[in-house]
Amino acid sequence: MDIQNTQSQMRKGVLEFCILSVIRQGEVYPSDIVDKMKAANLNILEGTLYPLLTRLKNAGYLTYRWVESNSGPPRKYFVMTDEGLAFYETLESTWKELADAVHALTQPIEAEHNNTL
């Protein structure tokens, strides 16, 4: 079994949630999303990000506005819609349940034994 493939699949599973987490903080330009993801050690390429943003926009979870730039073409800034916020809250709840379950299952046996005493 290829560990790099497994690691990649695990990251892909949380990518959408992480991107929405960044956008939820406020209006954002795609390269800012890339930078924040890199800072959190979740590297993402713009070639992966843009199709995800388009899919989230088409689902009604994001909207965008064009902002003129002094140093080039206009920039597209994304923001979460009310529907996107509701979707995010569902993902956040699911993530917390999953993280709690994984945490419970990955605790050493000694810790489990000490909790029952």
mmCIF file with all atom_site columns, all heavy atoms in Angstrom, residues 36-60:
data_model
loop_
_atom_site.group_PDB
_atom_site.id
_atom_site.type_symbol
_atom_site.label_atom_id
_atom_site.label_alt_id
_atom_site.label_comp_id
_atom_site.label_asym_id
_atom_site.label_entity_id
_atom_site.label_seq_id
_atom_site.pdbx_PDB_ins_code
_atom_site.Cartn_x
_atom_site.Cartn_y
_atom_site.Cartn_z
_atom_site.occupancy
_atom_site.B_iso_or_equiv
_atom_site.pdbx_formal_charge
_atom_site.auth_seq_id
_atom_site.auth_comp_id
_atom_site.auth_asym_id
_atom_site.auth_atom_id
_atom_site.pdbx_PDB_model_num
ATOM 1   N N   . LYS A 1 36 ? -2.658  30.850 3.185   1.00 0.00 ? 36 LYS A N   1
ATOM 2   C CA  . LYS A 1 36 ? -3.124  30.399 4.508   1.00 0.00 ? 36 LYS A CA  1
ATOM 3   C C   . LYS A 1 36 ? -3.058  28.886 4.638   1.00 0.00 ? 36 LYS A C   1
ATOM 4   O O   . LYS A 1 36 ? -2.727  28.365 5.701   1.00 0.00 ? 36 LYS A O   1
ATOM 5   C CB  . LYS A 1 36 ? -4.539  30.911 4.781   1.00 0.00 ? 36 LYS A CB  1
ATOM 6   C CG  . LYS A 1 36 ? -4.573  32.386 5.075   1.00 0.00 ? 36 LYS A CG  1
ATOM 7   C CD  . LYS A 1 36 ? -5.951  32.856 5.488   1.00 0.00 ? 36 LYS A CD  1
ATOM 8   C CE  . LYS A 1 36 ? -5.884  34.342 5.809   1.00 0.00 ? 36 LYS A CE  1
ATOM 9   N NZ  . LYS A 1 36 ? -7.076  34.817 6.472   1.00 0.00 ? 36 LYS A NZ  1
ATOM 10  N N   . MET A 1 37 ? -3.360  28.195 3.558   1.00 0.00 ? 37 MET A N   1
ATOM 11  C CA  . MET A 1 37 ? -3.279  26.734 3.574   1.00 0.00 ? 37 MET A CA  1
ATOM 12  C C   . MET A 1 37 ? -1.824  26.302 3.749   1.00 0.00 ? 37 MET A C   1
ATOM 13  O O   . MET A 1 37 ? -1.542  25.394 4.526   1.00 0.00 ? 37 MET A O   1
ATOM 14  C CB  . MET A 1 37 ? -3.871  26.159 2.293   1.00 0.00 ? 37 MET A CB  1
ATOM 15  C CG  . MET A 1 37 ? -5.358  26.456 2.089   1.00 0.00 ? 37 MET A CG  1
ATOM 16  S SD  . MET A 1 37 ? -6.443  25.496 3.126   1.00 0.00 ? 37 MET A SD  1
ATOM 17  C CE  . MET A 1 37 ? -6.415  23.961 2.254   1.00 0.00 ? 37 MET A CE  1
ATOM 18  N N   . LYS A 1 38 ? -0.902  26.943 3.037   1.00 0.00 ? 38 LYS A N   1
ATOM 19  C CA  . LYS A 1 38 ? 0.518   26.616 3.167   1.00 0.00 ? 38 LYS A CA  1
ATOM 20  C C   . LYS A 1 38 ? 0.995   26.879 4.589   1.00 0.00 ? 38 LYS A C   1
ATOM 21  O O   . LYS A 1 38 ? 1.755   26.090 5.146   1.00 0.00 ? 38 LYS A O   1
ATOM 22  C CB  . LYS A 1 38 ? 1.355   27.431 2.179   1.00 0.00 ? 38 LYS A CB  1
ATOM 23  C CG  . LYS A 1 38 ? 1.325   26.904 0.782   1.00 0.00 ? 38 LYS A CG  1
ATOM 24  C CD  . LYS A 1 38 ? 2.219   27.716 -0.123  1.00 0.00 ? 38 LYS A CD  1
ATOM 25  C CE  . LYS A 1 38 ? 2.108   27.229 -1.551  1.00 0.00 ? 38 LYS A CE  1
ATOM 26  N NZ  . LYS A 1 38 ? 2.923   28.032 -2.474  1.00 0.00 ? 38 LYS A NZ  1
ATOM 27  N N   . ALA A 1 39 ? 0.561   27.991 5.179   1.00 0.00 ? 39 ALA A N   1
ATOM 28  C CA  . ALA A 1 39 ? 0.959   28.331 6.549   1.00 0.00 ? 39 ALA A CA  1
ATOM 29  C C   . ALA A 1 39 ? 0.484   27.269 7.535   1.00 0.00 ? 39 ALA A C   1
ATOM 30  O O   . ALA A 1 39 ? 1.113   27.044 8.570   1.00 0.00 ? 39 ALA A O   1
ATOM 31  C CB  . ALA A 1 39 ? 0.406   29.703 6.936   1.00 0.00 ? 39 ALA A CB  1
ATOM 32  N N   . ALA A 1 40 ? -0.617  26.609 7.210   1.00 0.00 ? 40 ALA A N   1
ATOM 33  C CA  . ALA A 1 40 ? -1.155  25.545 8.061   1.00 0.00 ? 40 ALA A CA  1
ATOM 34  C C   . ALA A 1 40 ? -0.599  24.176 7.668   1.00 0.00 ? 40 ALA A C   1
ATOM 35  O O   . ALA A 1 40 ? -1.051  23.149 8.173   1.00 0.00 ? 40 ALA A O   1
ATOM 36  C CB  . ALA A 1 40 ? -2.680  25.533 7.980   1.00 0.00 ? 40 ALA A CB  1
ATOM 37  N N   . ASN A 1 41 ? 0.376   24.158 6.735   1.00 0.00 ? 41 ASN A N   1
ATOM 38  C CA  . ASN A 1 41 ? 0.998   22.928 6.257   1.00 0.00 ? 41 ASN A CA  1
ATOM 39  C C   . ASN A 1 41 ? 0.037   22.048 5.454   1.00 0.00 ? 41 ASN A C   1
ATOM 40  O O   . ASN A 1 41 ? 0.142   20.825 5.460   1.00 0.00 ? 41 ASN A O   1
ATOM 41  C CB  . ASN A 1 41 ? 1.639   22.146 7.408   1.00 0.00 ? 41 ASN A CB  1
ATOM 42  C CG  . ASN A 1 41 ? 2.738   21.233 6.923   1.00 0.00 ? 41 ASN A CG  1
ATOM 43  O OD1 . ASN A 1 41 ? 3.365   21.505 5.901   1.00 0.00 ? 41 ASN A OD1 1
ATOM 44  N ND2 . ASN A 1 41 ? 2.975   20.149 7.641   1.00 0.00 ? 41 ASN A ND2 1
ATOM 45  N N   . LEU A 1 42 ? -0.922  22.673 4.791   1.00 0.00 ? 42 LEU A N   1
ATOM 46  C CA  . LEU A 1 42 ? -1.832  21.989 3.869   1.00 0.00 ? 42 LEU A CA  1
ATOM 47  C C   . LEU A 1 42 ? -1.653  22.624 2.496   1.00 0.00 ? 42 LEU A C   1
ATOM 48  O O   . LEU A 1 42 ? -2.410  23.489 2.089   1.00 0.00 ? 42 LEU A O   1
ATOM 49  C CB  . LEU A 1 42 ? -3.289  22.137 4.320   1.00 0.00 ? 42 LEU A CB  1
ATOM 50  C CG  . LEU A 1 42 ? -3.729  21.286 5.483   1.00 0.00 ? 42 LEU A CG  1
ATOM 51  C CD1 . LEU A 1 42 ? -5.116  21.692 5.949   1.00 0.00 ? 42 LEU A CD1 1
ATOM 52  C CD2 . LEU A 1 42 ? -3.729  19.821 5.105   1.00 0.00 ? 42 LEU A CD2 1
ATOM 53  N N   . ASN A 1 43 ? -0.619  22.203 1.807   1.00 0.00 ? 43 ASN A N   1
ATOM 54  C CA  . ASN A 1 43 ? -0.301  22.801 0.513   1.00 0.00 ? 43 ASN A CA  1
ATOM 55  C C   . ASN A 1 43 ? -1.373  22.473 -0.514  1.00 0.00 ? 43 ASN A C   1
ATOM 56  O O   . ASN A 1 43 ? -1.843  21.340 -0.611  1.00 0.00 ? 43 ASN A O   1
ATOM 57  C CB  . ASN A 1 43 ? 1.060   22.329 0.029   1.00 0.00 ? 43 ASN A CB  1
ATOM 58  C CG  . ASN A 1 43 ? 2.174   22.815 0.922   1.00 0.00 ? 43 ASN A CG  1
ATOM 59  O OD1 . ASN A 1 43 ? 2.072   23.876 1.529   1.00 0.00 ? 43 ASN A OD1 1
ATOM 60  N ND2 . ASN A 1 43 ? 3.237   22.052 1.016   1.00 0.00 ? 43 ASN A ND2 1
ATOM 61  N N   . ILE A 1 44 ? -1.743  23.498 -1.279  1.00 0.00 ? 44 ILE A N   1
ATOM 62  C CA  . ILE A 1 44 ? -2.721  23.336 -2.349  1.00 0.00 ? 44 ILE A CA  1
ATOM 63  C C   . ILE A 1 44 ? -2.250  24.163 -3.539  1.00 0.00 ? 44 ILE A C   1
ATOM 64  O O   . ILE A 1 44 ? -1.741  25.273 -3.362  1.00 0.00 ? 44 ILE A O   1
ATOM 65  C CB  . ILE A 1 44 ? -4.136  23.762 -1.895  1.00 0.00 ? 44 ILE A CB  1
ATOM 66  C CG1 . ILE A 1 44 ? -5.154  23.538 -3.016  1.00 0.00 ? 44 ILE A CG1 1
ATOM 67  C CG2 . ILE A 1 44 ? -4.155  25.192 -1.410  1.00 0.00 ? 44 ILE A CG2 1
ATOM 68  C CD1 . ILE A 1 44 ? -6.587  23.763 -2.595  1.00 0.00 ? 44 ILE A CD1 1
ATOM 69  N N   . LEU A 1 45 ? -2.400  23.617 -4.707  1.00 0.00 ? 45 LEU A N   1
ATOM 70  C CA  . LEU A 1 45 ? -2.029  24.326 -5.919  1.00 0.00 ? 45 LEU A CA  1
ATOM 71  C C   . LEU A 1 45 ? -3.238  25.096 -6.437  1.00 0.00 ? 45 LEU A C   1
ATOM 72  O O   . LEU A 1 45 ? -4.382  24.673 -6.247  1.00 0.00 ? 45 LEU A O   1
ATOM 73  C CB  . LEU A 1 45 ? -1.555  23.336 -6.984  1.00 0.00 ? 45 LEU A CB  1
ATOM 74  C CG  . LEU A 1 45 ? -0.351  22.468 -6.621  1.00 0.00 ? 45 LEU A CG  1
ATOM 75  C CD1 . LEU A 1 45 ? -0.098  21.422 -7.709  1.00 0.00 ? 45 LEU A CD1 1
ATOM 76  C CD2 . LEU A 1 45 ? 0.884   23.338 -6.409  1.00 0.00 ? 45 LEU A CD2 1
ATOM 77  N N   . GLU A 1 46 ? -2.965  26.211 -7.110  1.00 0.00 ? 46 GLU A N   1
ATOM 78  C CA  . GLU A 1 46 ? -4.068  26.997 -7.667  1.00 0.00 ? 46 GLU A CA  1
ATOM 79  C C   . GLU A 1 46 ? -4.867  26.170 -8.669  1.00 0.00 ? 46 GLU A C   1
ATOM 80  O O   . GLU A 1 46 ? -6.070  26.347 -8.804  1.00 0.00 ? 46 GLU A O   1
ATOM 81  C CB  . GLU A 1 46 ? -3.555  28.290 -8.279  1.00 0.00 ? 46 GLU A CB  1
ATOM 82  C CG  . GLU A 1 46 ? -3.125  29.290 -7.223  1.00 0.00 ? 46 GLU A CG  1
ATOM 83  C CD  . GLU A 1 46 ? -2.794  30.659 -7.769  1.00 0.00 ? 46 GLU A CD  1
ATOM 84  O OE1 . GLU A 1 46 ? -3.071  30.938 -8.953  1.00 0.00 ? 46 GLU A OE1 1
ATOM 85  O OE2 . GLU A 1 46 ? -2.251  31.464 -6.983  1.00 0.00 ? 46 GLU A OE2 1
ATOM 86  N N   . GLY A 1 47 ? -4.206  25.242 -9.357  1.00 0.00 ? 47 GLY A N   1
ATOM 87  C CA  . GLY A 1 47 ? -4.898  24.365 -10.296 1.00 0.00 ? 47 GLY A CA  1
ATOM 88  C C   . GLY A 1 47 ? -5.893  23.432 -9.627  1.00 0.00 ? 47 GLY A C   1
ATOM 89  O O   . GLY A 1 47 ? -6.809  22.929 -10.262 1.00 0.00 ? 47 GLY A O   1
ATOM 90  N N   . THR A 1 48 ? -5.722  23.200 -8.345  1.00 0.00 ? 48 THR A N   1
ATOM 91  C CA  . THR A 1 48 ? -6.679  22.416 -7.559  1.00 0.00 ? 48 THR A CA  1
ATOM 92  C C   . THR A 1 48 ? -7.731  23.331 -6.952  1.00 0.00 ? 48 THR A C   1
ATOM 93  O O   . THR A 1 48 ? -8.908  22.982 -6.871  1.00 0.00 ? 48 THR A O   1
ATOM 94  C CB  . THR A 1 48 ? -5.946  21.660 -6.428  1.00 0.00 ? 48 THR A CB  1
ATOM 95  O OG1 . THR A 1 48 ? -4.956  20.814 -6.998  1.00 0.00 ? 48 THR A OG1 1
ATOM 96  C CG2 . THR A 1 48 ? -6.908  20.835 -5.594  1.00 0.00 ? 48 THR A CG2 1
ATOM 97  N N   . LEU A 1 49 ? -7.303  24.515 -6.539  1.00 0.00 ? 49 LEU A N   1
ATOM 98  C CA  . LEU A 1 49 ? -8.190  25.449 -5.840  1.00 0.00 ? 49 LEU A CA  1
ATOM 99  C C   . LEU A 1 49 ? -9.292  26.007 -6.740  1.00 0.00 ? 49 LEU A C   1
ATOM 100 O O   . LEU A 1 49 ? -10.462 26.011 -6.355  1.00 0.00 ? 49 LEU A O   1
ATOM 101 C CB  . LEU A 1 49 ? -7.377  26.595 -5.241  1.00 0.00 ? 49 LEU A CB  1
ATOM 102 C CG  . LEU A 1 49 ? -8.167  27.693 -4.541  1.00 0.00 ? 49 LEU A CG  1
ATOM 103 C CD1 . LEU A 1 49 ? -8.951  27.126 -3.358  1.00 0.00 ? 49 LEU A CD1 1
ATOM 104 C CD2 . LEU A 1 49 ? -7.234  28.801 -4.085  1.00 0.00 ? 49 LEU A CD2 1
ATOM 105 N N   . TYR A 1 50 ? -8.931  26.475 -7.924  1.00 0.00 ? 50 TYR A N   1
ATOM 106 C CA  . TYR A 1 50 ? -9.917  27.147 -8.771  1.00 0.00 ? 50 TYR A CA  1
ATOM 107 C C   . TYR A 1 50 ? -11.114 26.263 -9.139  1.00 0.00 ? 50 TYR A C   1
ATOM 108 O O   . TYR A 1 50 ? -12.255 26.724 -9.061  1.00 0.00 ? 50 TYR A O   1
ATOM 109 C CB  . TYR A 1 50 ? -9.249  27.750 -10.010 1.00 0.00 ? 50 TYR A CB  1
ATOM 110 C CG  . TYR A 1 50 ? -8.570  29.065 -9.714  1.00 0.00 ? 50 TYR A CG  1
ATOM 111 C CD1 . TYR A 1 50 ? -7.192  29.140 -9.527  1.00 0.00 ? 50 TYR A CD1 1
ATOM 112 C CD2 . TYR A 1 50 ? -9.307  30.238 -9.588  1.00 0.00 ? 50 TYR A CD2 1
ATOM 113 C CE1 . TYR A 1 50 ? -6.566  30.345 -9.236  1.00 0.00 ? 50 TYR A CE1 1
ATOM 114 C CE2 . TYR A 1 50 ? -8.697  31.444 -9.292  1.00 0.00 ? 50 TYR A CE2 1
ATOM 115 C CZ  . TYR A 1 50 ? -7.325  31.491 -9.121  1.00 0.00 ? 50 TYR A CZ  1
ATOM 116 O OH  . TYR A 1 50 ? -6.722  32.680 -8.827  1.00 0.00 ? 50 TYR A OH  1
ATOM 117 N N   . PRO A 1 51 ? -10.908 25.009 -9.527  1.00 0.00 ? 51 PRO A N   1
ATOM 118 C CA  . PRO A 1 51 ? -12.083 24.161 -9.792  1.00 0.00 ? 51 PRO A CA  1
ATOM 119 C C   . PRO A 1 51 ? -12.968 23.962 -8.545  1.00 0.00 ? 51 PRO A C   1
ATOM 120 O O   . PRO A 1 51 ? -14.194 23.926 -8.651  1.00 0.00 ? 51 PRO A O   1
ATOM 121 C CB  . PRO A 1 51 ? -11.478 22.830 -10.247 1.00 0.00 ? 51 PRO A CB  1
ATOM 122 C CG  . PRO A 1 51 ? -10.121 23.173 -10.747 1.00 0.00 ? 51 PRO A CG  1
ATOM 123 C CD  . PRO A 1 51 ? -9.659  24.324 -9.911  1.00 0.00 ? 51 PRO A CD  1
ATOM 124 N N   . LEU A 1 52 ? -12.339 23.871 -7.369  1.00 0.00 ? 52 LEU A N   1
ATOM 125 C CA  . LEU A 1 52 ? -13.114 23.746 -6.133  1.00 0.00 ? 52 LEU A CA  1
ATOM 126 C C   . LEU A 1 52 ? -13.931 25.005 -5.867  1.00 0.00 ? 52 LEU A C   1
ATOM 127 O O   . LEU A 1 52 ? -15.103 24.932 -5.480  1.00 0.00 ? 52 LEU A O   1
ATOM 128 C CB  . LEU A 1 52 ? -12.176 23.493 -4.944  1.00 0.00 ? 52 LEU A CB  1
ATOM 129 C CG  . LEU A 1 52 ? -12.040 22.065 -4.479  1.00 0.00 ? 52 LEU A CG  1
ATOM 130 C CD1 . LEU A 1 52 ? -10.931 21.949 -3.445  1.00 0.00 ? 52 LEU A CD1 1
ATOM 131 C CD2 . LEU A 1 52 ? -13.328 21.538 -3.926  1.00 0.00 ? 52 LEU A CD2 1
ATOM 132 N N   . LEU A 1 53 ? -13.319 26.168 -6.061  1.00 0.00 ? 53 LEU A N   1
ATOM 133 C CA  . LEU A 1 53 ? -14.038 27.429 -5.867  1.00 0.00 ? 53 LEU A CA  1
ATOM 134 C C   . LEU A 1 53 ? -15.208 27.541 -6.840  1.00 0.00 ? 53 LEU A C   1
ATOM 135 O O   . LEU A 1 53 ? -16.297 27.968 -6.455  1.00 0.00 ? 53 LEU A O   1
ATOM 136 C CB  . LEU A 1 53 ? -13.091 28.621 -6.036  1.00 0.00 ? 53 LEU A CB  1
ATOM 137 C CG  . LEU A 1 53 ? -12.036 28.803 -4.954  1.00 0.00 ? 53 LEU A CG  1
ATOM 138 C CD1 . LEU A 1 53 ? -11.057 29.905 -5.340  1.00 0.00 ? 53 LEU A CD1 1
ATOM 139 C CD2 . LEU A 1 53 ? -12.676 29.087 -3.606  1.00 0.00 ? 53 LEU A CD2 1
ATOM 140 N N   . THR A 1 54 ? -14.984 27.140 -8.080  1.00 0.00 ? 54 THR A N   1
ATOM 141 C CA  . THR A 1 54 ? -16.056 27.177 -9.078  1.00 0.00 ? 54 THR A CA  1
ATOM 142 C C   . THR A 1 54 ? -17.197 26.250 -8.686  1.00 0.00 ? 54 THR A C   1
ATOM 143 O O   . THR A 1 54 ? -18.374 26.618 -8.769  1.00 0.00 ? 54 THR A O   1
ATOM 144 C CB  . THR A 1 54 ? -15.506 26.801 -10.472 1.00 0.00 ? 54 THR A CB  1
ATOM 145 O OG1 . THR A 1 54 ? -14.504 27.756 -10.831 1.00 0.00 ? 54 THR A OG1 1
ATOM 146 C CG2 . THR A 1 54 ? -16.599 26.784 -11.515 1.00 0.00 ? 54 THR A CG2 1
ATOM 147 N N   . ARG A 1 55 ? -16.856 25.053 -8.225  1.00 0.00 ? 55 ARG A N   1
ATOM 148 C CA  . ARG A 1 55 ? -17.892 24.102 -7.804  1.00 0.00 ? 55 ARG A CA  1
ATOM 149 C C   . ARG A 1 55 ? -18.683 24.634 -6.616  1.00 0.00 ? 55 ARG A C   1
ATOM 150 O O   . ARG A 1 55 ? -19.913 24.532 -6.569  1.00 0.00 ? 55 ARG A O   1
ATOM 151 C CB  . ARG A 1 55 ? -17.253 22.748 -7.466  1.00 0.00 ? 55 ARG A CB  1
ATOM 152 C CG  . ARG A 1 55 ? -18.267 21.642 -7.249  1.00 0.00 ? 55 ARG A CG  1
ATOM 153 C CD  . ARG A 1 55 ? -17.624 20.265 -7.246  1.00 0.00 ? 55 ARG A CD  1
ATOM 154 N NE  . ARG A 1 55 ? -16.480 20.132 -6.380  1.00 0.00 ? 55 ARG A NE  1
ATOM 155 C CZ  . ARG A 1 55 ? -16.556 19.915 -5.068  1.00 0.00 ? 55 ARG A CZ  1
ATOM 156 N NH1 . ARG A 1 55 ? -17.721 19.841 -4.477  1.00 0.00 ? 55 ARG A NH1 1
ATOM 157 N NH2 . ARG A 1 55 ? -15.467 19.779 -4.357  1.00 0.00 ? 55 ARG A NH2 1
ATOM 158 N N   . LEU A 1 56 ? -17.994 25.228 -5.645  1.00 0.00 ? 56 LEU A N   1
ATOM 159 C CA  . LEU A 1 56 ? -18.665 25.795 -4.463  1.00 0.00 ? 56 LEU A CA  1
ATOM 160 C C   . LEU A 1 56 ? -19.534 26.990 -4.851  1.00 0.00 ? 56 LEU A C   1
ATOM 161 O O   . LEU A 1 56 ? -20.627 27.173 -4.305  1.00 0.00 ? 56 LEU A O   1
ATOM 162 C CB  . LEU A 1 56 ? -17.633 26.186 -3.408  1.00 0.00 ? 56 LEU A CB  1
ATOM 163 C CG  . LEU A 1 56 ? -16.900 25.021 -2.739  1.00 0.00 ? 56 LEU A CG  1
ATOM 164 C CD1 . LEU A 1 56 ? -15.683 25.521 -1.967  1.00 0.00 ? 56 LEU A CD1 1
ATOM 165 C CD2 . LEU A 1 56 ? -17.838 24.244 -1.822  1.00 0.00 ? 56 LEU A CD2 1
ATOM 166 N N   . LYS A 1 57 ? -19.079 27.791 -5.805  1.00 0.00 ? 57 LYS A N   1
ATOM 167 C CA  . LYS A 1 57 ? -19.868 28.923 -6.291  1.00 0.00 ? 57 LYS A CA  1
ATOM 168 C C   . LYS A 1 57 ? -21.109 28.420 -7.024  1.00 0.00 ? 57 LYS A C   1
ATOM 169 O O   . LYS A 1 57 ? -22.220 28.903 -6.795  1.00 0.00 ? 57 LYS A O   1
ATOM 170 C CB  . LYS A 1 57 ? -19.039 29.807 -7.217  1.00 0.00 ? 57 LYS A CB  1
ATOM 171 C CG  . LYS A 1 57 ? -19.799 31.050 -7.699  1.00 0.00 ? 57 LYS A CG  1
ATOM 172 C CD  . LYS A 1 57 ? -19.107 31.737 -8.838  1.00 0.00 ? 57 LYS A CD  1
ATOM 173 C CE  . LYS A 1 57 ? -19.314 31.145 -10.183 1.00 0.00 ? 57 LYS A CE  1
ATOM 174 N NZ  . LYS A 1 57 ? -20.652 31.014 -10.699 1.00 0.00 ? 57 LYS A NZ  1
ATOM 175 N N   . ASN A 1 58 ? -20.940 27.426 -7.885  1.00 0.00 ? 58 ASN A N   1
ATOM 176 C CA  . ASN A 1 58 ? -22.071 26.878 -8.644  1.00 0.00 ? 58 ASN A CA  1
ATOM 177 C C   . ASN A 1 58 ? -23.103 26.219 -7.729  1.00 0.00 ? 58 ASN A C   1
ATOM 178 O O   . ASN A 1 58 ? -24.283 26.171 -8.065  1.00 0.00 ? 58 ASN A O   1
ATOM 179 C CB  . ASN A 1 58 ? -21.588 25.894 -9.701  1.00 0.00 ? 58 ASN A CB  1
ATOM 180 C CG  . ASN A 1 58 ? -20.849 26.579 -10.831 1.00 0.00 ? 58 ASN A CG  1
ATOM 181 O OD1 . ASN A 1 58 ? -20.948 27.790 -11.021 1.00 0.00 ? 58 ASN A OD1 1
ATOM 182 N ND2 . ASN A 1 58 ? -20.082 25.815 -11.587 1.00 0.00 ? 58 ASN A ND2 1
ATOM 183 N N   . ALA A 1 59 ? -22.649 25.729 -6.566  1.00 0.00 ? 59 ALA A N   1
ATOM 184 C CA  . ALA A 1 59 ? -23.572 25.123 -5.600  1.00 0.00 ? 59 ALA A CA  1
ATOM 185 C C   . ALA A 1 59 ? -24.296 26.194 -4.768  1.00 0.00 ? 59 ALA A C   1
ATOM 186 O O   . ALA A 1 59 ? -25.189 25.870 -3.996  1.00 0.00 ? 59 ALA A O   1
ATOM 187 C CB  . ALA A 1 59 ? -22.803 24.187 -4.667  1.00 0.00 ? 59 ALA A CB  1
ATOM 188 N N   . GLY A 1 60 ? -23.894 27.451 -4.937  1.00 0.00 ? 60 GLY A N   1
ATOM 189 C CA  . GLY A 1 60 ? -24.545 28.535 -4.208  1.00 0.00 ? 60 GLY A CA  1
ATOM 190 C C   . GLY A 1 60 ? -23.923 28.827 -2.855  1.00 0.00 ? 60 GLY A C   1
ATOM 191 O O   . GLY A 1 60 ? -24.460 29.607 -2.076  1.00 0.00 ? 60 GLY A O   1
#
